[in-house]
Amino acid sequence: MSYQYDLLIIGAGPGGYEAAFYAQELGMNVAVVEKDRVGGTCLNRGCIPTKALMHSSDVYREAAHGAEVGVEVTGLKSNRKRIGERKDEVLDTLRGGITGLLNKKKIDLIEGEACITGEHMVKVGDDEYTAENIMVATGSRPFMPPIPGYDLPGVIDSTDLIEMGGEEIPEFVIIGGGVIGIEFATIYADLGDHVTVIEGMDRLLPVIDKEIGRSIKMTLEKKGVDVHVSSPVQKIEKDGDKLVVTLKNKKDEEIQVRADKVLMCVGRRPNTAGVFSEELLAKYPDLQDAKGFIKVDDRYATPVPGVYAIGDCIGGIQLAHVASAEGRNAVAMINGCKATINMGTVPSCIYTDPEIAVVGMTADEAKEAGIEVVTKKYPMSANGKTIIAGLDRGFVKLVARADDHVLVGAHLLCGRASDLIGELSVAIGRGMMLEEVANIIHPHPSFAEAIMEAARL
């Protein structure tokens, strides 16, 4: 049978466009279908706009504390409208770059909502396309938990907040103390709004190193953020022009917090509604799980012949760089090649102040897996660049196997952590020992030399 495309990808986010670029390099005839804007969640509603807003709040915070380092600023104010405009300018520039690459590589960009109607058939609007291989890379969307009052005006998700573009929120309540919640708490607290973070579990960032979670709580409180942990939200109510959030603390006491806006950030769900026709779902009942995540095997193949899926829509680690890696690995295997990207070493970054970055196992996770470990922790209070930058709280923590000192994890709370974690990802991916890291010369003064110092301990 002759197909219009060797590979048709549904979704032009980091997973989709990276897969398309690599497939084109391997000689495939490729098309990408996108119902919204190229770049997906990461570029339009997630990583990039959040960091653009954060850059503005970082500059504002530095200026506000300039007198501490001899730079006095008078008449300082935040122009929230301009902050939002600059965020949009960044997005436009990056979207233009992706579209330009698609055109340059002669990858067809089809606008519209796609539905897979058969094993090699995709319908977009009134048009039908055939493809030897189909890849679903539709990403995810914010989850709104059914807390009473979740649907009131003023209760928003992360997409709504980004569209607001840094608009002032005098009293801002954030439900969820995970990555998204504490990044937005950092941004809005630095811009001068009063922020309250409510987390149902016993600490912030409950899935990473405990010490980092405790430290970032103290850092946020130092910024004036009210933090409630072990405090599940009971309900949200309207009171005049304000919202009232009722939570129950660890003492089983009810506390009420007033807000102008309430941000829900307690997880995400896959964007898979309508991706498969009802007939196809009936024919392949094991195609999706109860939450809508697409089921795939170790080749990213779904139960439907010739149909693959990657990224947030299959669950697992929901990060842009993971989706990109999965897309490239899937394309390699579709072409009969070996998947070369190491999916066992995935760094994760959180853009707080200071930054957080982790890769590999925590000491507790290693012990649970039956691995005896040694932990090396270097306090950033002894690092010259940290003292210069005024980032007094933080550390570099390395976890290695006790018997051979091979690195299995790294946990950073320090300046430029998102840049430094790449070195440790390589070290863990290559099976390096503490001694090997310790014996590599690092520049001085730098944040990076803390890695060397930690390995030397």
Side-chain angles (χ1 to χ4, degrees), residues 283-441:
K283 185 177 179 180
Y284 298 97
D286 293 332
L287 186 53
Q288 294 175 296
D289 68 14
K291 292 182 179 179
F293 289 105
I294 301 171
K295 297 181 180 180
V296 298
D297 62 16
D298 57 3
R299 298 178 60 253
Y300 302 101
T302 73
V304 184
V307 177
Y308 302 81
I310 59 151
D312 286 10
C313 67
I314 66 171
I317 302 174
Q318 296 180 319
L319 295 170
H321 45 278
V322 171
S324 297
E326 289 176 344
R328 294 181 74 88
N329 276 349
V331 167
M333 290 186 282
I334 288 171
N335 283 275
C337 304
K338 183 180 179 181
T340 57
I341 299 177
N342 180 358
M343 299 304 299
T345 307
V346 178
S348 178
C349 303
I350 307 171
Y351 298 82
T352 49
D353 170 41
E355 291 183 344
I356 298 166
V358 301
V359 63
M361 305 171 110
T362 65
D364 288 341
E365 288 169 342
K367 290 173 185 175
E368 288 173 9
I371 303 170
E372 189 176 347
V373 296
V374 292
T375 301
K376 307 291 185 178
K377 178 185 169 186
Y378 182 79
M380 295 304 288
S381 57
N383 175 261
K385 194 68 180 290
T386 296
I387 301 302
I388 293 168
L391 299 172
D392 55 346
R393 181 181 295 281
F395 54 84
V396 169
K397 184 185 291 186
L398 305 180
V399 181
R401 294 199 300 245
D403 55 354
D404 57 11
H405 288 188
V406 170
L407 278 166
V408 296
H411 310 273
L412 280 59
L413 176 66
C414 62
R416 303 294 182 187
S418 61
D419 299 315
L420 302 183
I421 201 66
E423 172 186 341
L424 290 161
S425 297
V426 172
I428 292 171
R430 299 294 295 173
M432 293 178 67
M433 297 184 296
L434 287 169
E435 290 79 2
E436 292 176 290
V437 175
N439 291 332
I440 299 296
I441 298 174

Side-chain angles (χ1 to χ4, degrees), residues 136-211:
V136 182
T138 50
S140 62
R141 67 184 187 282
F143 169 63
M144 296 293 276
I147 296 170
Y150 79 95
D151 53 353
L152 287 170
V155 180
I156 59 176
D157 61 26
S158 57
T159 299
D160 301 322
L161 185 60
I162 285 169
E163 289 296 324
M164 289 168 59
E167 177 184 316
E168 184 178 3
I169 308 174
E171 296 289 342
F172 188 21
V173 169
I174 298 174
I175 299 176
V179 175
I180 297 171
I182 66 166
E183 286 192 350
F184 279 123
T186 300
I187 292 168
Y188 282 85
D190 283 346
L191 288 172
D193 297 339
H194 183 259
V195 181
T196 300
V197 175
I198 304 172
E199 168 58 48
M201 298 187 73
D202 62 355
R203 59 191 171 97
L204 300 180
L205 302 172
V207 299
I208 68 171
D209 181 87
K210 291 179 181 179
E211 192 172 3

Side-chain angles (χ1 to χ4, degrees), residues 10-79:
I10 302 173
Y17 67 69
E18 282 288 343
F21 295 156
Y22 187 44
Q24 186 271 339
E25 291 172 17
L26 296 180
M28 300 183 85
N29 179 24
V30 188
V32 178
V33 182
E34 177 54 57
K35 68 178 183 179
D36 188 9
R37 294 169 290 184
V38 297
T41 294
C42 175
L43 175 50
N44 297 295
R45 299 172 295 278
C47 321
I48 300 299
T50 305
K51 305 315 168 282
L53 294 173
M54 184 168 281
H55 179 70
S56 296
S57 68
D58 285 346
V59 173
Y60 183 84
R61 181 189 67 248
E62 292 291 333
H65 294 277
E68 297 171 10
V69 294
V71 181
E72 297 184 9
V73 179
T74 57
L76 180 67
K77 66 177 183 178
S78 62
N79 184 338

